[in-house]
Amino acid sequence: MRVITGKYKGRHFQVPRTFKARPTTDFAKENIFNVLRSYVDFEGLRAVDLFAGTGSITLELLSRGCSEVLSVELDRQHAAFIRSVLQKLEERNARLMVGDALRVIQRGSAQADLVFADPPYALEELPELPDRILSSQLLRSGGILVLEHGERNDFSEHPMFLEHRAYGSVNFSIFRKE
């Protein structure tokens, strides 16, 4: 796993082979972040990385200047890896929460400017995630939600939908909270 750009550009971190997480490919990550630049200025942004997995998105957000990133991961092994990477970088703008992202959404009070959600593609609740996140207090009004999902999901009819991007088998839907 490598960081694409920003203050940690080019840094590589070896993800353990025992991980069950499906990291976002460098190609997809680079492209979706290029798209996001037209929606947000990362400098000083408050962000949440739901279903953080390897922490790749968290690192990219921090590298690009986010002032605060909450990383949420249920799997303790994955969370321990994310914690170790953040410690190696001596990163002070990140918070790691070991817990269920669905509960974090339900209780959400972060008032983030950007929420990035990369759930398992087989997650039963995946079709409901945009509604859950956009109706919660996790994302502030006017904030951006990026949902990574498989090709079987289509959110284009959602009232807060902005656009869809596909990079190989990786799909992103982008929403703006009213």
Side-chain angles (χ1 to χ4, degrees):
M1 164 178 89
R2 76 178 171 100
V3 180
I4 305 297
T5 197
K7 67 182 179 181
Y8 301 130
K9 179 181 180 177
R11 295 285 301 261
H12 288 264
F13 299 94
Q14 190 62 43
V15 177
R17 292 177 186 253
T18 57
F19 265 35
K20 296 169 270 184
R22 166 199 33 77
T24 303
T25 65
D26 286 352
F27 176 75
K29 185 170 56 171
E30 181 173 13
N31 282 288
I32 195 61
F33 272 89
N34 285 339
V35 170
L36 286 174
R37 285 192 329 208
S38 67
Y39 292 108
V40 297
D41 178 6
F42 290 102
E43 195 66 40
L45 200 73
R46 294 178 65 199
V48 177
D49 181 10
L50 296 172
F51 309 95
T54 63
S56 174
I57 298 299
T58 294
L59 293 177
E60 203 65 49
L61 290 164
L62 291 164
S63 185
R64 291 168 187 258
C66 287
S67 63
E68 183 181 328
V69 179
L70 171 61
S71 184
V72 181
E73 176 53 46
L74 180 61
D75 185 288
R76 292 189 182 284
Q77 180 189 17
H78 297 189
F81 174 75
I82 295 168
R83 183 177 292 109
S84 72
V85 169
L86 294 172
Q87 287 172 344
K88 281 179 192 168
L89 295 172
E90 298 179 1
E91 183 57 62
R92 305 263 185 255
N93 294 332
R95 284 188 356 213
L96 174 63
M97 180 182 291
V98 181
D100 184 351
L102 296 174
R103 286 194 179 139
V104 170
I105 294 166
Q106 184 179 2
R107 294 186 199 138
S109 61
Q111 287 290 301
D113 303 297
L114 173 69
V115 171
F116 197 105
D118 180 10
Y121 289 0
L123 182 72
E124 188 177 314
E125 296 86 352
L126 194 147
E128 307 161 12
L129 279 181
D131 285 333
R132 286 187 182 200
I133 295 169
L134 294 164
S135 66
S136 78
Q137 295 301 308
L138 190 61
L139 185 64
R140 70 167 179 78
S141 181
I144 298 293
L145 164 63
V146 179
L147 176 62
E148 184 173 335
H149 56 85
E151 59 190 14
R152 290 180 288 146
N153 300 98
D154 179 5
F155 298 101
S156 61
E157 298 299 317
H158 193 282
M160 293 183 232
F161 176 82
L162 293 174
E163 68 176 288
H164 171 262
R165 295 292 177 117
Y167 306 104
S169 62
V170 180
N171 289 263
F172 296 97
S173 289
I174 303 172
F175 307 82
R176 184 184 310 273
K177 184 173 181 176
E178 296 177 336

